[in-house]
Amino acid sequence: MSKTYTISDLAQEFGVTTRTLRHYEDQGLVTPARDGINRIYSPRDRVRLKLALRGKRLGFSLGEIRELFELHDLAGSERRQLEEFSVKLERRRTQLEQQREDVEVMLNEIRFFATQCQRRLTEADTPKAPVSDSAA
Amino acid sequence: MSKTYTISDLAQEFGVTTRTLRHYEDQGLVTPARDGINRIYSPRDRVRLKLALRGKRLGFSLGEIRELFELHDLAGSERRQLEEFSVKLERRRTQLEQQREDVEVMLNEIRFFATQCQRRLTEADTPKAPVSDSAA
DNA sequence: CATTGCTTTTACGTAAACGTCAATAACACT
DNA sequence: AGTGTTATTGACGTTTACGTAAAAGCAATG
């Protein structure tokens, strides 16, 4: 009843190849239904794909992403799992906060570089000003 | 005159293996001097390593990191290179801003999960409340 | 009805980033 | 002189995340 998608629909929408989608299925990230032999993706699959791609941008492995999904679907699990996962989450949070800082620093660096480049490109002369080393 | 480091000094400090450091040397990220056959790392190498690891955390490949270093050391290059690089920087900036948003979203997700986990662990009963699907 | 287009599975290939020996060499003791 | 630690250079292995090519099945379309 709700909308469905073909493999190339989603591939195109998210800028990945169909191979990638099949690979993600192999890895258990999406579980499209079948129309005979053809894959049919649900809105849920679409959401998962979106989440998976975000995970990837953040450096999660496909395995880790699958773990997250599994734990998201967990609903009736046991204490042990939750405890383990709680620890994993904490580690990830620390990493993400580090990453947030990294991003800020890098954005500043890039802004600096960009203006440097721009200056050099506009005032196409006064050629001898070396670039400083921004260490720390 | 300024401080130097052995390969395992830096490996330990940054939590990587010596193999990694040699690999980074192969990839042109660091260029330690030699005492006979042994590697001697300068503060400059140390800084580079630090920057390289930050780059890695942000998803840069070793090749891209090397490019950044080369362009950092550039000082007397030609217009073409600068223009090309300017474009690359723009792309990266866009990616990083995306990444910043990703991090924020994911941190919120994690905070949500964490409190969920905590609730379950403290009030070890009232077992039947499924987890909602936070899509978008 | 043959071609074009999209799909499927199977399977080998590959690039990146190291891991993991192995064999060897240089010191540091004791 | 022997033992241990840390270093070196190969060189092959491994994991992840797909790429790519082959062979084949439906479906619409000229």
Side-chain angles (χ1 to χ4, degrees), chain B residues 6-8 22 34 37-39:
Chain B
T6 72
I7 191 167
S8 43
R22 294 194 191 98
R34 296 293 176 125
I37 201 178
N38 290 344
R39 289 170 176 80

Side-chain angles (χ1 to χ4, degrees), chain A residues 73-124:
Chain A
D73 301 343
L74 155 142
S77 89
E78 325 95 27
R79 198 181 183 80
R80 275 257 305 145
Q81 280 197 26
L82 278 175
E83 277 169 352
E84 276 177 20
F85 188 53
S86 207
V87 171
K88 284 191 183 179
L89 277 186
E90 249 324 282
R91 279 208 298 270
R92 262 303 163 184
R93 224 195 50 164
T94 311
Q95 276 185 44
L96 281 172
E97 271 155 4
Q98 168 69 22
Q99 193 159 1
R100 180 168 57 182
E101 198 190 314
D102 289 341
V103 170
E104 291 308 323
V105 171
M106 188 63 88
L107 274 174
N108 283 333
E109 275 283 312
I110 283 190
R111 280 192 270 268
F112 172 75
F113 261 122
T115 58
Q116 280 295 95
C117 285
Q118 276 312 106
R119 259 188 27 202
R120 291 206 168 193
L121 289 175
T122 48
E123 44 164 86

Side-chain angles (χ1 to χ4, degrees), chain B residues 4 9 17 20 26 38 43 53-55 61 64-65 69 83 100-101 112 115 118 122 124 133 135-136:
Chain B
T4 63
D9 284 346
T17 66
T20 299
D26 289 344
N38 290 344
L53 293 176
R54 170 151 74 223
S61 74
E64 290 173 317
I65 292 167
F69 285 170
E83 278 170 351
R100 180 167 57 181
E101 199 190 315
F112 171 74
T115 58
Q118 276 314 107
T122 48
D133 225 75

Side-chain angles (χ1 to χ4, degrees), chain A residues 2 7 15 24 34 42 57 76 81 98 108:
Chain A
S2 61
I7 191 166
Y24 287 4
R34 296 293 176 127
S42 68
R57 288 196 302 267
Q81 280 197 26
Q98 168 69 22
N108 283 333

